[in-house]
Amino acid sequence: MDEFSFIKSIKPGFYRQSSLIKGINDDAAVIRPTGEDIVTAVDTMVEGVHFSKETMQPYHVGHRVLAANISDLAAMGSTPAFFMVSLTIPSSWNQEELEELYEGMKQLAHLYKMDLIGGDTVSGSELSVTVTVIGTVPKGKARYRSAAKPDDVLFVTGTLGDARAGLEWLLNGEPKVDEDVAYLVKRHRTPSPRVEFAQSLVSLSRLTLNDVSDGIANEANEIAEASDVDLLIDAGKLPFSKAVFRKHPERFEEWMFSGGEDFELLGTVSEEDWPLVEKAARNIGLPVTRIGEVAIKREVSPKVWIRRDEHMEVLGPSGYTHLKEKGE
Amino acid sequence: MDEFSFIKSIKPGFYRQSSLIKGINDDAAVIRPTGEDIVTAVDTMVEGVHFSKETMQPYHVGHRVLAANISDLAAMGSTPAFFMVSLTIPSSWNQEELEELYEGMKQLAHLYKMDLIGGDTVSGSELSVTVTVIGTVPKGKARYRSAAKPDDVLFVTGTLGDARAGLEWLLNGEPKVDEDVAYLVKRHRTPSPRVEFAQSLVSLSRLTLNDVSDGIANEANEIAEASDVDLLIDAGKLPFSKAVFRKHPERFEEWMFSGGEDFELLGTVSEEDWPLVEKAARNIGLPVTRIGEVAIKREVSPKVWIRRDEHMEVLGPSGYTHLKEKGE
């Protein structure tokens, strides 16, 4: 197909955001800020690295790459507003598949009233999708990894390890699809960024958020490092679904730490404000679980600790290596 | 190399833009707008499609992909401020080459006081660079393709066809490098976006700008279509360098229309304001040439016409096909 035609072919008929002055159709898009801060991030997914046609249909690819970007905005407390898409298209993808991919983005964009305001389409040897997202946040309300303080409550939304279990079924599962499989596969293919949860906490004066893209082992270490504190996680308190427990009783614990791509939010908040977090989650029907606390660092460099019974272990960014080594 | 390490490894030690609240190091960057409009665009370059190691060193790749994006901002009348880089890295590129590539971006970013505020690094089978740029423009001063009006002066900055001639030498040239070759190759490898020129016209109430990325045949048609007018180009007035004339007397005319990647600015302005455009260009030492005018459209759909002697011909978006067919 014509190198330049795809993005133009999906040009929206109208825009939803009133702050947009110029969308697709010129050299660049123009936005008139409304007094809020602007938040932006970019993320790339490559076929054969981040997904394959064996485990995802084009629709899921579109959904997931935009969801991953929106999740970054959610982790900043930001409301999504715009996105741009740069597509590298190999000859193995046809127009219909590209439209399906875009449909996956469009459904999610619709949900968050996001406008597609630009992009690029080029040819190449492998499918690659780069999404740039732009959102807004009230002045001074961006949620940083560096905001955690000793004695904060450490919490996480939803359940962990589901997306990894869904991928496992897609790669190695038995043909039979039951309710658990359907749930886990959905968690892998069409994750839900936690935008509403983050937005509902806008009144809190201090809040730390980080989205679970690589696994909480990594994300917890990022918070510890940025805030220069220790995090203590109670292994027994980590939230998991019945589905992941039933399907993978021996592996789900590892996946909770390092499975990744659940796109839940890991955060910290003062003990005083914790009930407000619980209430906000209840109001939108999203589970939130207290999984530990923030502490003054014990050593020179900040660390994440796993507490199990009376026993503490360090949790590195790539996961719970002790458990993995013992094959527990 | 570690999938995530490259963008972090080039994290700037300080930021230049005072409107930046949070740069690299969190889920997303945060910008506090200063009362101006925000302008944004994205562009991808893929090895083997847009460049090859045979004609460009990594430094040039970095320079050119950022220059192409900055050129889009210039064509909106916008001042560059931020950029994000998403890199897909194949095993055939080593750390040193990646650093060189980044150095090419860094030098240009330095010139325009732009800050690197985010990005992504993934592995893949071919090198691909996606750059997102963000700039600012005073409210209501973005320069659209749709602003041209009948009787406007049609102008272009600099000279045309040079970048294509530079590429020609890199692909098929004789080994000897003279001053002309050096000039043309430089125009191909390290183009200069016309930011200063566009900025110096900020006081004009109406101005059309489009940057010459695909060739003025394409760009002129974009203006004609967006503004619903005809453009008349005097073939004899198109500006070319002595170098391109001396090296390619038989092909330079075709390349002026459709060579592309000169990253000059094609624009229209009222007859009354034309002297101000000439003056602004003189002040920054950049040639600007009046190459024709805007007219009421003659037919149902807007068109670009080439005027040569007494004779008019239609110029399609992909170039001067008549000339090419006759082999003139």
Side-chain angles (χ1 to χ4, degrees), chain A residues 247-259:
Chain A
K247 290 291 170 188
H248 297 282
E250 289 173 4
R251 301 181 70 184
F252 82 91
E253 187 170 51
E254 178 196 332
W255 291 346
M256 284 198 293
F257 286 113
S258 56

Side-chain angles (χ1 to χ4, degrees), chain A:
Chain A
M1 80 183 296
D2 171 3
E3 180 166 324
F4 303 101
S5 65
F6 184 68
I7 293 295
K8 283 185 189 166
S9 79
I10 58 174
K11 184 162 75 77
F14 63 96
Y15 294 103
R16 299 177 185 97
Q17 296 286 334
S18 59
S19 64
L20 187 71
I21 308 284
K22 188 80 179 182
I24 290 173
N25 245 6
D26 216 298
D27 296 298
V30 183
I31 297 159
R32 179 150 305 160
T34 56
E36 295 198 309
D37 287 342
I38 301 277
V39 183
T40 186
V42 65
D43 213 31
T44 295
M45 274 176 67
V46 177
E47 185 174 4
V49 178
H50 300 91
F51 65 91
S52 78
K53 281 189 184 173
E54 276 136 60
T55 60
M56 288 211 178
Q57 285 160 10
Y59 182 94
H60 307 131
V61 176
H63 179 104
R64 211 177 56 158
V65 64
L66 184 56
N69 273 278
I70 293 174
S71 183
D72 281 329
L73 293 182
M76 300 301 282
S78 167
T79 302
F82 305 108
F83 69 115
M84 300 192 286
V85 179
S86 199
L87 267 180
T88 303
I89 305 173
S91 54
S92 56
W93 280 63
N94 62 36
Q95 177 84 20
E96 201 185 326
E97 290 170 316
L98 293 173
E99 279 163 12
E100 248 193 76
L101 184 150
Y102 178 61
E103 196 58 35
M105 291 197 270
K106 202 173 155 184
Q107 293 292 328
L108 202 56
H110 182 78
L111 191 64
Y112 294 110
K113 298 188 178 58
M114 296 177 83
D115 290 323
L116 175 71
I117 59 168
D120 198 6
T121 317
V122 302
S123 56
S125 67
E126 63 194 353
L127 190 93
S128 170
V129 195
T130 298
V131 172
T132 303
V133 282
I134 297 174
T136 58
V137 67
K139 273 185 189 170
K141 290 289 189 174
R143 305 308 190 177
Y144 301 128
R145 294 172 188 170
S146 54
K149 291 193 175 166
D151 299 325
D152 273 3
V153 171
L154 178 67
F155 65 85
V156 70
T157 62
T159 53
L160 299 170
D162 294 335
R164 180 65 187 79
L167 176 64
E168 188 65 24
W169 184 85
L170 289 164
L171 293 171
N172 305 312
E174 317 239 317
K176 188 170 161 267
V177 177
D178 59 19
E179 214 176 291
D180 287 346
V181 166
Y183 166 81
L184 296 171
V185 165
K186 186 163 181 264
R187 290 275 287 164
H188 173 69
R189 284 179 164 171
T190 54
S192 300
R194 302 308 187 189
V195 172
E196 213 183 344
F197 173 76
Q199 284 173 338
S200 68
L201 301 176
V202 68
S203 67
L204 299 187
S205 60
R206 186 177 61 79
L207 174 71
T208 310
L209 290 177
N210 198 357
D211 73 317
V212 183
S213 48
D214 298 313
I216 62 158
N218 182 67
E219 271 63 82
N221 274 281
E222 285 179 343
I223 291 175
E225 196 185 323
S227 300
D228 201 31
V229 293
D230 277 5
L231 299 192
L232 278 64
I233 298 176
D234 288 310
K237 290 191 180 161
L238 289 174
F240 53 88
S241 66
K242 285 176 186 163
V244 82
F245 177 72
R246 283 192 290 244
K247 290 291 170 188
H248 297 282
E250 289 173 4
R251 301 181 70 184
F252 82 91
E253 187 170 51
E254 178 196 332
W255 291 346
M256 284 198 293
F257 286 113
S258 56
E261 298 191 334
D262 291 312
F263 299 111
E264 298 296 344
L265 291 174
L266 180 69
T268 90
V269 70
S270 69
E271 187 74 56
E272 190 190 336
D273 284 342
W274 167 240
L276 296 173
V277 173
E278 283 188 294
K279 192 179 162 204
R282 207 162 40 235
N283 284 344
I284 59 169
L286 177 72
V288 65
T289 309
R290 178 178 186 146
I291 60 168
E293 71 250 15
V294 181
I296 295 168
K297 60 181 182 176
R298 300 175 173 215
E299 300 176 1
V300 177
S301 57
K303 289 203 165 47
V304 179
W305 302 88
I306 293 293
R307 199 160 42 194
R308 180 189 301 277
D309 307 326
E310 290 310 296
H311 192 106
M312 304 267 283
E313 285 173 77
V314 171
L315 179 72
S318 58
Y320 201 16
T321 48
H322 171 72
L323 259 191
K324 275 191 261 179
E325 279 158 20
K326 286 205 176 164
E328 280 175 41

Side-chain angles (χ1 to χ4, degrees), chain B residues 175-229:
Chain B
K176 189 169 160 264
V177 177
D178 59 18
E179 214 175 290
D180 287 346
V181 165
Y183 166 80
L184 296 171
V185 165
K186 185 164 180 263
R187 289 275 286 164
H188 172 70
R189 283 179 165 170
T190 54
S192 300
R194 302 309 187 189
V195 172
E196 212 183 345
F197 173 75
Q199 284 173 337
S200 69
L201 301 176
V202 68
S203 66
L204 298 188
S205 59
R206 186 177 60 80
L207 175 71
T208 310
L209 290 177
N210 197 357
D211 72 317
V212 183
S213 48
D214 298 312
I216 61 157
N218 181 68
E219 273 62 85
N221 273 281
E222 286 179 342
I223 292 175
E225 196 185 325
S227 299
D228 202 29
V229 293

